[in-house]
């Protein structure tokens, strides 16, 4: 995952009134914390930030008054109706540092005919280097049949990543497709009898 570069400004005002004014000026309030340092309250440009945080675990390179900060997006608070970003929490990281993240699990491939799968886990916890976080873990179900299972220990992890989830956790369960009788056919058969 490549880092996104953004210019940030330190903010000294807080509260709902300031946050509302900042959002009207196309800015997003945010806070950078971590490594035992004092939190840094900033504002970020709305459009560029919204594009940068579309992916999970986005890595941001922030220019805060000429000082460079490398940060991982930990939490994004959105308006429940408008879905605009209201606030972002950022965690300071260093190159080479290992961090714990939840990575989305994507299913690829086609099952053998007459089978269906149930995805039990949509994200998996990993420990990975902050500057080399995977965007997703792919699970290949090509040609698999009923009765087969894919556990967390079966996942192919990127180099340098360590599985933190239970190795026996069920990720994909494959079973036979059950045919549901059409309502119209059932009522026609009942009427004919």
């Amino acid at each position: 995952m490549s880092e996104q570069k953004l210019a940030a400004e330190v903010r000294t005002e807080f509260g709902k009134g300031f946050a509302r004014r900042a959002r009207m000026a196309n800015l997003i309030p945010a806070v950078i914390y971590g490594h035992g340092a004092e939190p840094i309250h900033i504002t970020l440009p709305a459009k560029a930030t919204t594009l940068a945080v579309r992916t999970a675990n986005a890595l941001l390179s922030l220019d805060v008054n000429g000082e460079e900060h490398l940060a991982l997006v930990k939490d994004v608070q959105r308006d429940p109706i408008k879905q605009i970003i209201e606030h972002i929490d950022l965690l300071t990281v260093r190159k080479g540092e290992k961090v714990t993240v939840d990575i989305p699990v994507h299913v690829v491939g086609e099952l053998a005919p007459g089978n269906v799968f149930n995805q039990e886990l949509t994200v998996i916890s990993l420990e990975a280097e902050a500057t080399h976080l995977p965007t997703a873990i792919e699970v290949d179900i090509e040609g698999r049949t009923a009765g087969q299972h894919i556990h967390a220990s079966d996942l192919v992890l990127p180099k340098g990543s360590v599985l933190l989830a239970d190795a026996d956790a069920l990720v994909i369960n494959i079973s036979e497709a059950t045919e549901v009788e059409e309502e119209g056919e059932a009522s026609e058969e009942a009427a004919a009898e």
Side-chain angles (χ1 to χ4, degrees):
M1 174 184 296
S2 63
E3 57 192 69
Q4 306 282 330
K5 296 188 183 300
L6 295 174
E9 295 177 16
V10 174
R11 63 184 166 107
T12 55
E13 292 183 72
F14 305 96
K16 287 182 184 178
F18 167 75
R20 196 173 296 119
R21 287 191 306 276
R23 285 190 289 276
M24 288 179 72
N26 290 320
L27 298 171
I28 297 173
V31 64
I32 305 171
Y33 62 91
H35 293 288
E38 284 291 317
I40 303 169
H41 298 277
I42 59 171
T43 55
L44 297 167
K47 185 175 181 180
T49 304
T50 302
L51 292 173
V53 302
R54 285 188 303 179
T55 59
N57 305 311
L59 184 63
L60 305 178
S61 177
L62 304 171
D63 179 7
V64 183
N65 295 344
E67 191 177 316
E68 197 72 22
H69 289 272
L70 193 60
L72 192 63
V73 175
K74 285 310 276 183
D75 189 36
V76 177
Q77 288 117 36
R78 296 181 187 272
D79 180 278
I81 307 294
K82 299 177 187 174
Q83 288 300 305
I84 60 167
I85 297 174
E86 292 187 330
H87 189 271
I88 298 178
D89 290 343
L90 302 163
L91 177 66
T92 298
V93 293
R94 296 185 183 108
K95 291 187 188 287
E97 177 182 9
K98 296 270 190 174
V99 293
T100 300
V101 290
D102 287 337
I103 305 294
V105 176
H106 291 172
V107 179
V108 296
E110 293 289 325
L111 292 171
N115 295 289
V116 294
F117 73 90
N118 188 27
Q119 187 171 354
E120 302 291 336
L121 292 177
T122 56
V123 294
I124 198 86
S125 293
L126 298 179
E127 182 181 74
E129 190 176 323
T131 55
H132 295 95
L133 294 175
T135 53
I137 302 293
E138 288 190 348
V139 179
D140 188 7
I141 60 170
E142 187 66 40
R144 294 195 182 241
T145 58
Q148 293 183 320
H149 307 292
I150 299 172
H151 294 91
S153 59
D154 300 326
L155 298 176
V156 179
L157 302 178
K159 185 180 177 185
S161 298
V162 177
L163 180 68
L164 295 180
D166 181 16
D168 294 330
L170 184 62
V171 179
I172 303 287
N173 180 23
I174 301 166
S175 59
E176 286 184 28
T178 56
E179 291 187 34
V180 179
E181 203 173 278
E182 295 290 325
E183 276 186 40
E185 291 176 18
S187 61
E188 286 174 20
E189 288 174 14
E193 292 177 358

